Amino acid sequence: SCSTGSCHQGLSGPSPKDPGSTVLNSGPAGAPSVSHMDVQGYKTVRWKVWLCHLGAVCSVGLLLVLFNWRPRLGVLAKCTSCPIPMADTLLLRDSHGQQFVIEVQTEETEQGSIDHARGELEDDEWRDDVHLHEEQKTLLRYYVFEGMRYVWMPRKGAFCKVSILNEGWTCADLHCLQRGLTRLDQSSRRQIFGDNIIDVPVKSCLRLLVEEVLNPFYMFQVFSIILWMSDKYYYYAVCIFIISFISITVSLYEIRKQSTTLHSMAQLMVNVTVRRASGEEELVSSVELVPGDCVIVPSEGLLMPCDAALLAGECMVNESMLTGESVPVMKTPLPDNKERYSPEAQRRHTLFCGTQVIQAKGGHSSGNGAVVVVTRTGFFTAKGDLVSSILYPQPVNFRFYQDAMKFLIFLGCMATLGTIYSIVMLYRSNTTWPELVIRSLDIVTIVVPPALPAALTTGTLYAQRRLKKRGVFCISPPRINVCGKISLFCFDKTGTLTEEGLDVWGVKCVSGTRFDELIPDPRLLPPGPMVMALASCHSVALLGDQAIGDPLELKMIESTGWELTNETGVISEFGSYRILMVMRPPAAEFQPTGIFISQPVAIVRRFPFSSTLQRMSVVTVGPGGDSPHIFLKGAPEMVASHCLQESVPPQFSNTLIEFVSEGFRVLALAYKEMDAQTDLRSITRAEVEKDLLFLGLLVMKNQVKPESAEVIGDLRRAQIRPVMVTGDNILTALNVAQSCRMLLPHEQVIFVHASPPAANSMASLQFQQRDGRDATINTQETMDILEQGLYQNSLKYHLAINGKSFAALCDHFPEYLPKVLMRGTIYARMSPDQKTELVRGLQKLNYRVGMCGDGANDCGALRAADVGVSLSEAEASVASPFTSKSDNISCVPLLIREGRCSLVTSFSLFKYMALYSLIQFASVLILYTVKTNLSDLQFLFFDLAMVTVLAIVMGRGGPSDELHPRRPPCQPIGSACSVLFGSTHHSVDPQYIPLNSTEPGSHNLPNMEDTSVFAVSGLQYIIMSIVVTKGYPYKKPLFHNVVFVLVLLVQFGVMIWLVLFPETFLHKMLQLYEITDMSYKLLLVAIAALNFFICCLLEALIDKCAPDCLRILRGNRSSKKQYKRLDALLAETPSWPPLDQLIYPPQCSVIGVS
């Protein structure tokens, strides 16, 4: 197979069965998820095309409609299968089963242009492209799918993303491109890569109208309207036509508006300054940019039109459009080394398309601005990826929608049976053939409710509107129903469960080989490297007079009293170095008594913080360019590992555990002095961050948000499992988990330690029971008590694991991973990629996973989760389907309650629309039996005045105020029994007096039979709306939906009036028979009342007994959900987890889950 990100070698030839098939990756460049697509090649056959044209004419366009619904049939009809290199048409099928027909395009390029475009690859990689056609020019074969260009590469044997041409770049390669491209290189690359533009197509109104009308729903409406007009149901046909016209108009307006808005948001064209190989700089349109172009970012900033690597200077960037994170990020130059460049791995050195550069400095020869090299353009950029996810969302794999379609198929079968029955009955009554055909087809329009798809979205739209009022914005409405089935919710810690801001608790300095007493105020620190480290080791920048950066670093600088100054460039005070920022100590009068610091510190280089590296460092100089120092700040364990062993106090671990177990956020600092002769401009990060001297610990207090404990408690009571995923220390995470009631006091914690193989040791895995101070419990008596509690379920336990152990577990102990995921509650020191991997691992266990974070380091996990919630000030963040303006997790239970309410509303509407169709189906069959039918206005009265109004207002009821422990069912087929029982009443309606009229259908109205059926079915529509509208425990009681109750009362009053009272103008208009026998009228009402009682009883019995009956029928069969099967297995396994035992890969013996 061929991965379009890299196009791996070693492709097998086409299979005999399908000579034109291959597999490629259609996922976004650099995306963590790989979506493989099956590609089949076809070549157009001229005579087949003409034959299809003839068939389209003969079928009055129906053949074209069929090809529009099923593109594969059109390809098979017009083309013949062939190897992909010869294909002019491709049939693509993705992992979701969706099929797409793509036309292969060709373009002549100058000889050697591909050589210029991919000069980084070996010569023999491109020669096949150049000599593919023995002509004067090279013929480039490509196609565009979802905005991305795929080019044919013969040596790979597949169409590959054009981005493969620059995927092998190293950081050193990018630095070589700093001198710029020649115009020939730029022109050649543009032919291959195309324009740098994210073009969202805005279709014309006429094309939108045709596409909308060709929708199966509207085609069914057109068929129905033609049928009703031929049957002289003029009023009804005209009303349905007007409603459909309004619906299409509104739909076209919304689609056009959304397309126009997205087009204006996505399309970004600015003028940029590009450096050419000749050394000159020219102003060009951003549309002309290609990967490899060297761009000068002005000092005042720029709205980035592409993804680019920062090579010189520093940039302060607002990435809120991508991440939802409002705090600007400092970007620093990419290191010049042989490491392969990856935009995700080098996020801190990459400027992403669509982000706003607020300030650039220190990179250009003028001293201002920055130098970047373009790495990705168009839809291959980060912004393009996000726009693509909006334009082409993945289908929501939700069982409710699947079962709804199955039930529609069942209704179609019912319609077939009804059609056969009506043909037999009408034929026996000597009905004319035209009348017989019309009557039989009319049954289909009755049984299959054309308004069902629209009705199912009503509950979702109401929920979306309620969420918006509460400050929760949704860009993917189908996800609202998925919220109702969430079984596990992951939470980031900092800024999500805890406050964003931190307060400095104190500084713990190292003196010799031991820690000094905690100094509560950093201002009291004596002059020396510790206070210089606190003042200078950060990524804060000045925008005007305002300091911008990470809240933690802002608090750290504030605690020292030092001031940031916006002095940049070459400053004589600091020698010949190009300065990024100067930190100056407070004035003498503001310094504590006995302490005087006068020398400023200038920052020369920055190596920014990375979630993967868990550290940052700076290079500083003093006045005159003397005293160069390196300062390092980061996770204590990481900083200690980069220090000289003798400089780290022996009590380091105990001191760290003491603080983190009390919930403090702890950072470590280190430093070293550099030789004055060292070239600070070219020094690498690896050289900077080694052999340092340990300085001490910065202790900060991070308070848990007051809402966190209440929300976590609500989720646990609702049987929704909470999980913490954080980049912080495992003991700090443990303390926060206990504070927010994720771990209860009586629940035990077992630490999972996994290590990869080393030079002299194998990979190992160990489960250890520890207390808050990391002391191993190893007495036999304690272990016996613990095991008895653990394994007899009288004591619940949770697993805690850090990122390093998680990586080793995934790589070397994959058979243990499902068990750890089943019991894991604390995941600490997790990188962004590991967070995403965790979410996917939980989904593989069939959990419906939610994820809540701040949108910065959690983007991948938020997008991978079934329900991602970003806490952001932005009204809509494309980092996740949901964005909450609240700064706490109180939106999570709200989302789940709204999801459950929407889901239950969808169930209710589904059942009601199905009941309405079956009731009307039974009514019409009964009337066909006696050779009559409902009148035009009777149909109109039922469908519009009653059913449509009820369906619209039924979904208005809001969610319950509390989360119930059980999730709502997700199988409408399971409710089909109540639908069938609810509609069987008509088959036993009494007192049908055969008609002797020779007039067919509605021409013999009014008559007693029609009026009786009208009365009972009309009351039954009202009754069923009450029966299927569930309240507790997922929705508020029925009386809270005031509009629905009022509509019910009005409709019930009108029906009783029509049944019991003498003939009026409305009776005449509806063609109702005047029944003079009051006893018979009351009997009709009594039948409806009995029907109400039976339906309520059946619905209650199905709700109460159906789950138990299904369990009995299923017997001892295990659950379809893997996590439930695994949970049952673990509960029956007293030997798991094996405490304090070293486990090695060859000796693993675990319980498998099939």
Side-chain angles (χ1 to χ4, degrees):
S1 65
C2 169
S3 169
T4 46
S6 57
C7 281
H8 301 299
Q9 299 287 346
L11 286 170
S12 58
S15 62
K17 180 179 178 182
D18 190 353
S21 67
T22 188
V23 177
L24 54 82
N25 168 9
S26 68
S33 60
V34 177
S35 175
H36 290 282
M37 299 191 73
D38 177 62
V39 182
Q40 298 175 347
Y42 292 88
K43 194 168 187 63
T44 305
V45 179
R46 192 178 298 274
W47 67 267
K48 285 188 175 184
V49 174
W50 283 107
L51 200 61
C52 287
H53 289 334
L54 181 62
V57 172
C58 295
S59 63
V60 199
L62 290 178
L63 187 63
L64 296 180
V65 173
L66 179 63
F67 289 166
N68 181 70
W69 291 350
R70 291 288 180 267
R72 182 172 182 272
L73 296 179
V75 172
L76 294 176
K78 298 176 184 177
C79 308
T80 183
S81 180
C82 70
I84 289 182
M86 301 170 59
D88 55 23
T89 301
L90 298 177
L91 184 64
L92 278 62
R93 186 174 67 240
D94 64 12
S95 57
H96 303 286
Q98 299 180 110
Q99 293 186 331
F100 308 91
V101 176
I102 305 292
E103 298 296 326
V104 177
Q105 302 179 47
T106 57
E107 183 178 327
E108 285 189 349
T109 61
E110 294 296 330
Q111 184 75 20
S113 63
I114 301 178
D115 179 17
H116 287 293
R118 55 188 309 189
E120 302 78 19
L121 300 180
E122 297 177 4
D123 290 344
D124 60 354
E125 287 292 312
W126 57 263
R127 278 182 187 144
D128 283 341
D129 287 277
V130 175
H131 300 295
L132 177 62
H133 298 274
E134 297 296 334
E135 298 176 5
Q136 291 286 327
K137 300 199 174 191
T138 301
L139 193 63
L140 177 71
R141 303 180 70 248
Y142 69 93
Y143 69 86
V144 179
F145 177 66
E146 295 185 349
M148 298 184 184
R149 181 180 284 209
Y150 295 75
V151 294
W152 174 251
M153 296 189 176
R155 287 186 62 84
K156 309 297 182 185
F159 283 93
C160 299
K161 281 184 181 177
V162 71
S163 59
I164 188 180
L165 301 178
N166 57 316
E167 274 190 351
W169 278 342
T170 64
C171 298
D173 292 334
L174 289 171
H175 274 276
C176 290
L177 290 167
Q178 192 171 170
R179 58 179 176 267
L181 298 174
T182 65
R183 285 188 171 82
L184 176 61
D185 282 341
Q186 199 275 341
S187 175
S188 301
R189 287 169 184 261
R190 192 175 176 192
Q191 280 189 305
I192 306 299
F193 287 94
D195 290 340
N196 173 37
I197 192 167
I198 303 171
D199 189 19
V200 176
V202 179
K203 298 175 183 176
S204 66
C205 292
L206 181 61
R207 183 176 175 185
L208 283 173
L209 178 64
V210 172
E211 289 182 357
E212 194 73 9
V213 171
L214 291 180
N215 182 294
F217 165 68
Y218 287 114
M219 289 298 291
F220 186 65
Q221 291 282 53
V222 170
F223 163 75
S224 301
I225 289 170
I226 294 172
L227 189 67
W228 296 326
M229 292 290 286
S230 63
D231 200 23
K232 299 181 181 179
Y233 280 92
Y234 300 123
Y235 294 125
Y236 188 72
V238 169
C239 284
I240 294 299
F241 173 78
I242 292 171
I243 291 171
S244 298
F245 177 78
I246 294 171
S247 175
I248 289 175
T249 304
V250 171
S251 178
L252 292 184
Y253 172 77
E254 288 296 328
I255 292 172
R256 177 86 177 179
K257 181 183 174 184
Q258 290 172 7
S259 297
T260 306
T261 304
L262 192 58
H263 177 82
S264 59
M265 183 272 283
Q267 197 170 61
L268 174 60
M269 288 185 285
V270 295
N271 290 327
V272 294
T273 302
V274 175
R275 179 184 292 168
R276 294 297 178 207
S278 59
E280 64 177 312
E281 296 177 359
E282 63 175 321
L283 198 67
V284 301
S285 170
S286 60
V287 177
E288 299 176 22
L289 292 177
V290 296
D293 266 331
C294 181
V295 177
I296 309 300
V297 180
S299 58
E300 64 272 15
L302 174 71
L303 184 59
M304 288 301 296
C306 59
D307 286 359
L310 178 59
L311 301 184
E314 286 189 339
C315 294
M316 182 59 72
V317 185
N318 181 353
E319 294 187 333
S320 59
M321 197 286 293
L322 291 180
T323 66
E325 176 60 55
S326 57
V327 177
V329 181
M330 174 66 76
K331 304 284 186 173
T332 58
L334 185 74
D336 189 356
N337 55 37
K338 294 296 183 181
E339 183 182 349
R340 183 170 175 173
Y341 173 75
S342 165
E344 293 305 317
Q346 276 98 8
R347 285 187 68 87
R348 286 288 186 167
H349 313 298
T350 303
L351 307 182
F352 293 103
C353 179
T355 60
Q356 177 69 55
V357 178
I358 303 171
Q359 187 182 68
K361 60 183 180 180
H364 198 236
S365 55
S366 62
N368 294 322
V371 179
V372 300
V373 164
V374 178
T375 56
R376 299 189 298 194
T377 57
F379 272 94
F380 293 100
T381 62
K383 182 180 178 181
D385 180 20
L386 294 173
V387 171
S388 182
S389 69
I390 298 173
L391 270 178
Y392 315 104
Q394 289 189 355
V396 178
N397 183 21
F398 199 42
R399 187 165 183 177
F400 171 66
Y401 302 125
Q402 297 169 1
D403 284 359
M405 293 308 298
K406 290 177 185 177
F407 193 73
L408 276 178
I409 293 171
F410 166 76
L411 290 179
C413 295
M414 291 283 291
T416 305
L417 294 175
T419 301
I420 294 170
Y421 174 81
S422 60
I423 289 172
V424 172
M425 295 304 299
L426 293 170
Y427 180 76
R428 290 175 62 182
S429 59
N430 297 321
T431 306
T432 62
W433 277 105
E435 182 78 10
L436 187 146
V437 171
I438 291 172
R439 289 274 166 263
S440 301
L441 292 176
D442 196 32
I443 291 291
V444 179
T445 68
I446 292 170
V447 176
V448 182
L452 181 60
L456 291 180
T457 62
T458 305
T460 304
L461 294 176
Y462 281 126
Q464 188 177 12
R465 190 171 67 179
R466 288 193 297 265
L467 285 170
K468 190 173 182 180
K469 287 181 181 178
R470 300 286 294 272
V472 180
F473 301 93
C474 175
I475 63 170
S476 179
R479 298 274 177 181
I480 294 177
N481 276 352
V482 181
C483 292
K485 297 298 290 183
I486 288 294
S487 49
L488 181 148
F489 225 103
C490 299
F491 295 93
D492 180 34
K493 184 183 74 69
T494 307
T496 304
L497 294 173
T498 62
E499 299 288 354
E500 184 69 50
L502 296 166
D503 295 319
V504 175
W505 191 260
V507 179
K508 194 87 167 170
C509 294
V510 171
S511 178
T513 58
R514 62 181 181 82
F515 282 106
D516 290 336
E517 291 297 317
L518 185 77
I519 299 175
D521 188 354
R523 295 170 191 262
L524 301 175
L525 288 168
M530 176 56 95
V531 70
M532 292 168 64
L534 292 173
S536 63
C537 194
H538 57 77
S539 299
V540 174
L542 275 177
L543 185 61
D545 294 327
Q546 184 181 1
I548 296 174
D550 187 280
L552 181 150
E553 294 183 333
L554 291 171
K555 209 72 169 178
M556 181 181 75
I557 297 170
E558 181 188 336
S559 71
T560 64
W562 286 51
E563 296 178 0
L564 296 87
T565 62
N566 218 354
E567 301 168 79
T568 59
V570 179
I571 303 172
S572 58
E573 182 184 358
F574 298 99
S576 60
Y577 292 107
R578 187 180 297 279
I579 305 303
L580 299 176
M581 177 172 288
V582 178
M583 300 297 301
R584 297 190 179 276
E589 59 268 25
F590 296 113
Q591 296 188 29
T593 306
I595 294 177
F596 179 69
I597 305 172
S598 60
Q599 288 197 342
V601 175
I603 302 172
V604 179
R605 293 283 302 278
R606 275 195 184 108
F607 298 97
F609 176 81
S610 162
S611 299
T612 307
L613 299 176
Q614 299 177 351
R615 63 184 185 273
M616 75 158 293
S617 56
V618 295
V619 182
T620 67
V621 295
D626 300 327
S627 310
H629 280 78
I630 305 294
F631 294 107
L632 179 73
K633 177 185 88 223
E637 308 93 331
M638 185 60 68
V639 171
S641 69
H642 286 75
C643 292
L644 296 171
Q645 192 62 39
E646 58 269 20
S647 71
V648 181
Q651 64 271 40
F652 166 77
S653 296
N654 290 335
T655 304
L656 177 60
I657 290 168
E658 181 181 345
F659 284 120
V660 297
S661 60
E662 294 177 16
F664 289 103
R665 178 83 181 271
V666 182
L667 296 175
L669 297 107
Y671 88 110
K672 70 176 176 181
E673 295 183 16
M674 301 294 292
D675 191 317
Q677 305 305 316
T678 306
D679 185 1
L680 301 182
R681 297 179 185 86
S682 61
I683 192 170
T684 64
R685 185 165 193 162
E687 293 173 308
V688 165
E689 298 176 348
K690 71 175 183 179
D691 300 334
L692 293 110
L693 298 176
F694 193 79
L695 279 173
L697 303 174
L698 173 64
V699 184
M700 309 187 85
K701 187 67 175 174
N702 193 197
Q703 299 288 344
V704 175
K705 293 179 181 178
E707 300 86 359
S708 296
E710 182 183 351
V711 169
I712 297 298
D714 289 344
L715 294 181
R716 291 194 66 167
R717 284 188 291 273
Q719 304 297 315
I720 297 171
R721 187 179 145 203
V723 169
M724 184 191 298
V725 192
T726 178
D728 210 340
N729 182 280
I730 195 167
L731 293 179
T732 303
L734 183 61
N735 181 277
V736 172
Q738 290 168 338
S739 300
C740 67
R741 312 290 288 171
M742 200 174 284
L743 302 177
L744 300 179
H746 65 276
E747 296 175 337
Q748 296 294 325
V749 178
I750 297 175
F751 290 78
V752 182
H753 298 281
S755 57
N760 300 317
S761 62
M762 299 174 60
S764 63
L765 175 65
Q766 188 175 21
F767 297 89
Q768 291 183 323
Q769 172 69 30
R770 295 167 181 252
D771 65 11
R773 293 185 178 274
D774 208 29
T776 304
I777 297 176
N778 50 21
T779 67
Q780 188 59 44
E781 182 182 358
T782 309
M783 289 302 297
D784 290 343
I785 295 171
L786 176 63
E787 290 186 8
Q788 184 180 6
L790 283 175
Y791 303 137
Q792 294 181 9
N793 291 328
S794 60
L795 192 65
K796 188 172 182 181
Y797 66 92
H798 300 263
L799 299 182
I801 186 172
N802 62 26
K804 286 184 178 179
S805 294
F806 183 78
L809 184 72
C810 293
D811 293 339
H812 304 287
F813 301 91
E815 62 272 32
Y816 275 87
L817 182 61
K819 296 183 179 63
V820 172
L821 294 179
M822 272 300 304
R823 295 289 185 257
T825 301
I826 308 294
Y827 297 86
R829 293 287 187 228
M830 298 283 279
S831 69
D833 287 343
Q834 286 179 322
K835 292 180 181 182
T836 306
E837 190 176 355
L838 172 66
V839 168
R840 292 206 172 99
L842 291 166
Q843 288 172 328
K844 287 178 183 176
L845 296 178
N846 304 126
Y847 277 111
R848 285 284 179 186
V849 181
M851 174 72 196
C852 184
D854 57 14
N857 293 326
D858 311 310
C859 282
L862 288 169
R863 295 180 67 191
D866 296 291
V867 175
V869 188
S870 174
L871 305 183
S872 169
E873 286 296 320
E875 183 166 306
S877 166
V878 284
S880 63
F882 297 93
T883 305
S884 173
K885 282 198 168 183
S886 67
D887 60 352
N888 57 69
I889 62 171
S890 58
C891 59
V892 170
L894 171 66
L895 257 179
I896 296 172
R897 288 190 286 110
E898 285 288 2
R900 291 181 173 185
C901 175
S902 173
L903 196 56
V904 169
T905 301
S906 297
F907 291 153
S908 299
L909 285 166
F910 177 87
K911 287 162 64 176
Y912 183 63
M913 296 303 291
L915 273 168
Y916 141 68
S917 296
L918 289 175
I919 290 168
Q920 198 165 84
F921 171 67
S923 302
V924 170
L925 285 188
I926 291 168
L927 294 177
Y928 275 9
T929 306
V930 293
K931 206 180 177 182
T932 186
N933 199 3
L934 297 170
S935 71
D936 191 355
L937 289 178
Q938 285 174 4
F939 275 121
L940 200 63
F941 177 76
F942 283 153
D943 289 0
L944 298 184
M946 290 188 71
V947 174
T948 302
V949 174
L950 284 171
I952 289 172
V953 300
M954 191 186 292
R956 287 179 57 89
S960 172
D961 294 326
E962 295 181 356
L963 279 175
H964 193 263
R966 288 184 59 185
R967 291 182 292 279
C970 192
Q971 299 175 345
I973 286 183
S975 310
C977 301
S978 61
V979 174
L980 297 176
F981 278 125
S983 61
T984 51
H985 163 259
H986 279 306
S987 61
V988 291
D989 244 343
Q991 301 199 27
Y992 285 111
I993 304 171
L995 290 174
N996 294 320
S997 173
T998 57
E999 292 290 332
S1002 59
H1003 300 295
N1004 55 25
L1005 294 176
N1007 58 64
M1008 188 174 180
E1009 289 79 357
D1010 165 73
T1011 303
S1012 300
V1013 171
F1014 175 88
V1016 177
S1017 60
L1019 288 169
Q1020 202 169 29
Y1021 292 137
I1022 300 171
I1023 288 165
M1024 285 303 158
S1025 69
I1026 300 171
V1027 171
V1028 302
T1029 304
K1030 301 283 180 62
Y1032 178 83
Y1034 308 113
K1035 293 180 67 175
K1036 288 181 178 176
L1038 185 65
F1039 59 83
H1040 282 273
N1041 191 348
V1042 178
V1043 177
F1044 181 52
V1045 173
L1046 289 175
V1047 169
L1048 282 175
L1049 291 174
V1050 170
Q1051 291 190 352
F1052 185 73
V1054 170
M1055 281 305 303
I1056 291 295
W1057 175 52
L1058 289 173
V1059 174
L1060 298 181
F1061 286 83
E1063 187 172 352
T1064 62
F1065 76 96
L1066 191 57
H1067 290 78
K1068 292 179 180 178
M1069 190 168 66
L1070 293 174
Q1071 293 181 273
L1072 295 176
Y1073 183 78
E1074 185 177 2
I1075 301 173
T1076 55
D1077 187 355
M1078 181 57 71
S1079 300
Y1080 183 70
K1081 292 180 180 180
L1082 292 174
L1083 178 62
L1084 294 175
V1085 176
I1087 290 171
L1090 178 63
N1091 180 250
F1092 176 66
F1093 173 76
I1094 293 172
C1095 288
C1096 286
L1097 183 63
L1098 283 171
E1099 190 73 15
L1101 284 172
I1102 288 171
D1103 280 350
K1104 297 288 183 184
C1105 303
D1108 294 330
C1109 292
L1110 287 173
R1111 286 192 203 99
I1112 293 170
L1113 290 172
R1114 192 167 59 188
N1116 294 324
R1117 279 189 298 168
S1118 56
S1119 171
K1120 291 182 179 179
K1121 290 184 171 61
Q1122 189 173 347
Y1123 75 86
K1124 289 186 177 180
R1125 303 201 306 270
L1126 187 55
D1127 188 46
L1129 283 169
L1130 291 178
E1132 297 169 359
T1133 310
S1135 60
W1136 202 90
L1139 297 176
D1140 287 334
Q1141 297 177 22
L1142 276 176
I1143 303 168
Y1144 301 102
Q1147 300 169 357
C1148 288
S1149 177
V1150 297
I1151 299 168
V1153 179
S1154 59

